[in-house]
Amino acid sequence: MTFTSLLLLLLAGVVTGTIGAMLGLGGGVFLVPFLALAFGLPMHQAIAASILAIIATSSAGAAMNVERRIVNLRLGMTLETTTVIGAILGGVTANLLSGDVLTEIFASLLLLVSFMMIWRIRQRGVHEETHQGGALAATYRDDSTGTIVSYSVRRVPVVMLISLVAGNISGLLGVGGGIFKVPSMNIIGGIPMKAATATSNFMIGVTAAASAFIYFAHGHINPLIVAPAALGVLSGSYLGILLGRRIRSHVLTWVFAIVLLLISIRMFLR
Amino acid sequence: MGICHCAAAHFDPNVFAIAYARQNGLDKSVDDSTHSKVERWTSIALRVGVWSSATLMVAGLLMVWVSGSTPSLASENLSPGDLLRKLFSSSVDGVTLIFSGLLVLMLTPFLRVLTAAVGFLAERDFKFVFISLAVLSMLLGELFFSLR
């Protein structure tokens, strides 16, 4: 391991973290193939690095969003009961599978994510003002419109089931799973997009921690690889949020959806 | 002259909407002071975890850089047991610092869930104390079975 390699890993983290945050995908979707293809890391180590990076970005983002009360803390904690189960099962399964099989599953995920990205361009968030109350009901102030948004959560068991699957994908492949969780929280659970995104991001840290020690125990956490990558993704995510506020382009989404499609093909052919 | 403690200084233009939400039981997050406590504590726990871990990792990487010697391949392939043992040894090197930063990062979500449980307990919301403790026990179960 040379010092240049450490710098390259840091840079890889910054780039993937920035793109991930700009597209609202989180770093993992880009970091895992980058580490596996460009650095030739074993798939399990690439996934482990991504899991640690996810804990860092989720915790840093959630610290802000919890304070601003966009995160629905009670809903997040409730859904974590199933994401954690899913992630533990995912982590155990991943460590039973070979790197080649994991690569193929990851390539299939990228294929799905690239289609989801394009589908999401056409979607508008669903929001109906609801006043039924309930333990999971919440209110937050939307800073972009200056309005108070009140909502209650519908079909909690279905959303919990989807969270279980998202947790499983997270533990298995080292991605946050927000791209699947957020639309379902919004469409099925009736949670406004902003709260769904913030709450999903809040949960991702605990979900990732649920499989982190499984990867650690199998010797897949290499401090000299994971630390620069995680620090890079953390700083890249801040940069991505700043850039994302200035640049909002469907062209960008299309470009990276095609990039993911190409990476997916490359991983299948590996 | 002095510091103004008047209400106007803290006036929130959405105060009526918030009051409406509170009256109608719609609001569990913008609620009374105890509710803001659980959120503040959780937020602090997350900040402390992330920044102390980032500091340890940066310090470790700098130590590796300053020492001038590129870490040996052996230190890259340290087993989990070796890494944990190095943590309690008297000699601290860059890799150990980096690893302790990673460990703090991995434990930050545990701290966050524990803080939420204490916060919910402070506001006597026992249902969510139970939920938080359920999540924490699953995480601790994973930790225990992984490191056993």
Side-chain angles (χ1 to χ4, degrees):
Chain A
M1 170 70 64
T2 62
F3 198 73
T4 318
S5 312
L6 292 181
L7 282 180
L8 284 174
L9 281 164
L10 188 76
L11 195 66
V14 173
V15 173
T16 53
T18 308
I19 299 169
M22 280 177 80
L23 298 172
L25 287 175
V29 168
F30 291 96
L31 183 68
V32 174
F34 207 93
L35 292 179
L37 297 176
F39 286 87
L41 273 188
M43 197 59 182
H44 289 95
Q45 284 195 24
I47 291 174
S50 176
I51 284 174
L52 271 284
I54 287 172
I55 298 178
T57 49
S58 161
S59 305
M64 282 189 286
N65 286 331
V66 165
E67 213 163 43
R68 290 165 63 200
R69 296 174 178 179
I70 304 169
V71 170
N72 186 331
L73 206 65
R74 284 171 173 75
L75 174 67
M77 296 300 303
T78 306
L79 298 182
E80 272 166 13
T81 55
T82 54
T83 58
V84 166
I85 296 172
I88 293 173
L89 294 176
V92 171
T93 313
N95 284 287
L96 293 174
L97 297 174
S98 72
D100 289 341
V101 175
L102 272 185
T103 307
E104 281 169 18
I105 300 174
F106 198 94
S108 317
L109 172 88
L110 288 189
L111 206 66
L112 202 60
V113 169
S114 61
F115 288 124
M116 285 285 287
M117 282 169 75
I118 294 161
W119 172 79
R120 214 167 51 165
I121 292 175
R122 297 165 186 277
Q123 294 297 310
R124 281 166 187 227
V126 176
H127 178 58
E128 298 155 21
E129 279 285 335
T130 46
H131 299 282
Q132 295 99 315
L136 299 176
T139 298
Y140 69 95
R141 181 168 43 220
D142 187 335
D143 287 340
S144 58
T145 57
T147 52
I148 292 283
V149 182
S150 298
Y151 64 94
S152 52
V153 185
R154 299 186 307 243
R155 302 185 195 96
V156 179
V158 184
V159 181
M160 284 177 81
L161 197 66
I162 291 163
S163 299
L164 180 86
V165 178
N168 195 243
I169 294 171
S170 168
L172 187 68
L173 302 172
V175 295
I179 193 155
F180 305 109
K181 210 163 46 190
V182 174
S184 56
M185 282 168 83
N186 177 243
I187 297 166
I188 299 168
I191 304 149
M193 277 308 272
K194 213 163 204 168
T197 309
T199 307
S200 164
N201 178 59
F202 165 78
M203 291 155 60
I204 283 168
V206 164
T207 312
S211 61
F213 283 100
I214 300 172
Y215 283 88
F216 172 64
H218 283 84
H220 297 311
I221 292 187
N222 182 331
L224 290 171
I225 290 172
V226 177
L231 285 170
V233 173
L234 181 62
S235 42
S237 64
Y238 279 110
L239 193 64
I241 291 165
L242 287 177
L243 288 174
R245 281 183 195 149
R246 291 164 191 269
I247 311 163
R248 283 198 185 277
S249 161
H250 291 331
V251 178
L252 201 72
T253 311
W254 271 99
V255 168
F256 282 105
I258 293 165
V259 169
L260 282 187
L261 200 67
L262 294 174
I263 296 173
S264 162
I265 294 167
R266 178 73 185 75
M267 288 184 97
F268 271 123
L269 296 174
R270 187 183 165 183
Chain B
M1 293 300 283
I3 300 163
C4 173
H5 294 286
C6 56
H10 306 287
F11 182 73
D12 183 336
N14 293 297
V15 71
F16 300 115
I18 295 170
Y20 171 81
R22 281 179 191 162
Q23 276 169 14
N24 291 277
L26 294 171
D27 181 12
K28 290 285 174 186
S29 64
V30 184
D31 207 357
D32 49 37
S33 57
T34 49
H35 273 99
S36 65
K37 228 180 244 173
V38 67
E39 277 147 354
R40 204 168 343 114
W41 291 354
T42 308
S43 177
I44 291 169
L46 288 167
R47 269 180 230 273
V48 168
V50 172
W51 294 115
S52 52
S53 122
T55 308
L56 283 167
M57 284 194 276
V58 171
L61 285 169
L62 285 175
M63 212 160 149
V64 167
W65 183 49
V66 169
S67 70
S69 62
T70 51
S72 68
L73 280 173
S75 63
E76 290 179 53
N77 295 319
L78 284 174
S79 71
D82 284 342
L83 283 170
L84 288 171
R85 265 189 295 278
K86 265 171 84 74
L87 207 61
F88 297 103
S89 72
S90 54
S91 66
V92 176
D93 60 11
V95 178
T96 313
L97 267 187
I98 296 171
F99 174 63
S100 55
L102 289 174
L103 210 56
V104 170
L105 187 63
M106 288 195 278
L107 291 172
T108 297
F110 289 65
L111 177 71
R112 192 267 269 166
V113 177
L114 180 69
T115 311
V118 174
F120 287 129
L121 189 68
E123 61 191 56
R124 307 182 71 77
D125 193 341
F126 297 114
K127 185 179 166 186
F128 284 93
V129 173
F130 175 75
I131 288 173
S132 307
L133 290 179
V135 173
L136 187 64
S137 0
M138 283 190 275
L139 288 175
L140 288 172
E142 176 245 349
L143 177 70
F144 176 75
F145 283 108
S146 298
L147 299 183
R148 170 173 75 120

